[in-house]
Amino acid sequence: MPHILFGRSRELEIEITEYLDLVNQGALTFKRDLKRYIKKDFEIFEEALTDIKEIENDADEHQKDIKYKLYKYMLIPDSRADVLNIIEEIDTITDLAKEVIYEISIEKPIIPAKLESDFLELVENSAEAVDMLVKAVRSFFEEIAQVNDYVNKVHFFEHEADKNEERLKRRIFSEECQEVEIAYKLQLRYFIEEIAALSDQAEMISEEVLVAAVKRKI
């Protein structure tokens, strides 16, 4: 990260890098665990259940340290509020990922085999949106000219996830799945929306990153 933003605090640079690494690990774990569940590898899914919780806890600790160091070193007064907002907002990504995985472990929704590929595609696109968001945030600190490119990629994957979400809902409530009881359909709809919500959150935060980047350029 260039010293132009953080001045003398190499310590803060490392803290933010490690924090973003954890957010990225959270998205990868989200994708890994949901793929296991969708493919009915239930035992492996349950064995690794605490991985996402540990990542979330580590991310929370880094977030606290980042806030402390921002004030300790009296850094970037013009951008401090934007940095704090981005750090706080991106933390919701890991929280949401953990919530989805734990709720699936508790409720154990039955995913019809005919819908597995659509579910996998939704998970993939939602996780990709988060990956592009993390790259956008890294660019905000390291190479601000690239922020817009990554934000556009967040929009792309969020839009793809939206299409996956709609297609899955239509299939579930069509004659194709008439053998599925309405209670299970409603449960599946809920989890579809929760998985897609990860990409929605990534898109919302990416817009805030873009605004902060524009302000830094002025």
Side-chain angles (χ1 to χ4, degrees), residues 74-93:
M74 298 299 290
L75 296 169
I76 51 172
D78 294 336
S79 299
R80 185 186 301 154
D82 288 328
V83 171
L84 283 170
N85 183 59
I86 290 168
I87 294 301
E88 288 178 352
E89 289 293 334
I90 202 170
D91 191 57
T92 63
I93 294 285

Side-chain angles (χ1 to χ4, degrees), residues 174-188:
S174 71
E175 291 185 3
E176 180 184 3
C177 291
Q178 59 183 341
E179 76 283 0
V180 179
E181 294 181 18
I182 187 64
Y184 293 126
K185 290 183 179 184
L186 294 174
Q187 183 190 43
L188 287 174

Side-chain angles (χ1 to χ4, degrees), residues 33 44-53 101-102 105:
D33 289 355
I44 300 175
F45 170 81
E46 293 294 339
E47 285 175 358
L49 189 62
T50 58
D51 288 356
I52 190 69
K53 187 173 181 60
I101 290 170
Y102 268 76
S105 173

Side-chain angles (χ1 to χ4, degrees), residues 9-10 13 26 29-30 39 41 47 58 65 71 88 91 102 104 108 110 116 133 153 161 168 173 180-181 184 199 215:
S9 180
R10 175 65 179 160
E13 295 176 9
T29 303
F30 170 86
K39 292 178 179 179
D41 295 327
E47 285 175 358
D58 288 346
D65 288 343
Y71 286 101
E88 288 178 352
D91 191 57
Y102 268 76
I104 284 177
K108 296 178 172 51
I110 300 169
E116 284 182 8
L133 169 64
K153 290 175 180 177
L168 270 167
F173 289 97
V180 179
E181 294 181 18
Y184 293 126
S199 66
K215 287 165 66 177

Side-chain angles (χ1 to χ4, degrees), residues 84-202:
L84 283 170
N85 183 59
I86 290 168
I87 294 301
E88 288 178 352
E89 289 293 334
I90 202 170
D91 191 57
T92 63
I93 294 285
T94 312
D95 292 343
L96 181 57
K98 187 204 76 172
E99 179 183 325
V100 172
I101 290 170
Y102 268 76
E103 286 182 356
I104 284 177
S105 173
I106 292 166
E107 295 193 23
K108 296 178 172 51
I110 300 169
I111 299 175
K114 67 181 77 173
L115 300 180
E116 284 182 8
S117 62
D118 278 347
F119 265 95
L120 289 170
E121 190 174 339
L122 171 60
V123 169
E124 185 72 33
N125 284 320
S126 224
E128 281 293 324
V130 175
D131 183 45
M132 293 302 114
L133 169 64
V134 171
K135 288 178 179 176
V137 176
R138 289 191 198 278
S139 296
F140 175 78
F141 296 116
E142 299 172 4
E143 188 57 57
I144 202 165
Q146 296 180 4
V147 169
N148 190 64
D149 180 49
Y150 285 121
V151 170
N152 284 335
K153 290 175 180 177
V154 174
H155 287 313
F156 172 81
F157 286 112
E158 190 278 335
H159 184 59
E160 290 300 302
D162 275 352
K163 290 192 287 187
N164 297 144
E165 179 183 4
E166 180 180 349
R167 182 166 63 248
L168 270 167
K169 287 179 179 178
R170 288 186 180 279
R171 290 187 68 186
I172 287 168
F173 289 97
S174 71
E175 291 185 3
E176 180 184 3
C177 291
Q178 59 183 341
E179 76 283 0
V180 179
E181 294 181 18
I182 187 64
Y184 293 126
K185 290 183 179 184
L186 294 174
Q187 183 190 43
L188 287 174
R189 183 187 68 182
Y190 169 75
F191 282 111
I192 290 165
E193 291 172 350
E194 287 292 286
I195 295 167
L198 209 69
S199 66
D200 294 335
Q201 188 73 358

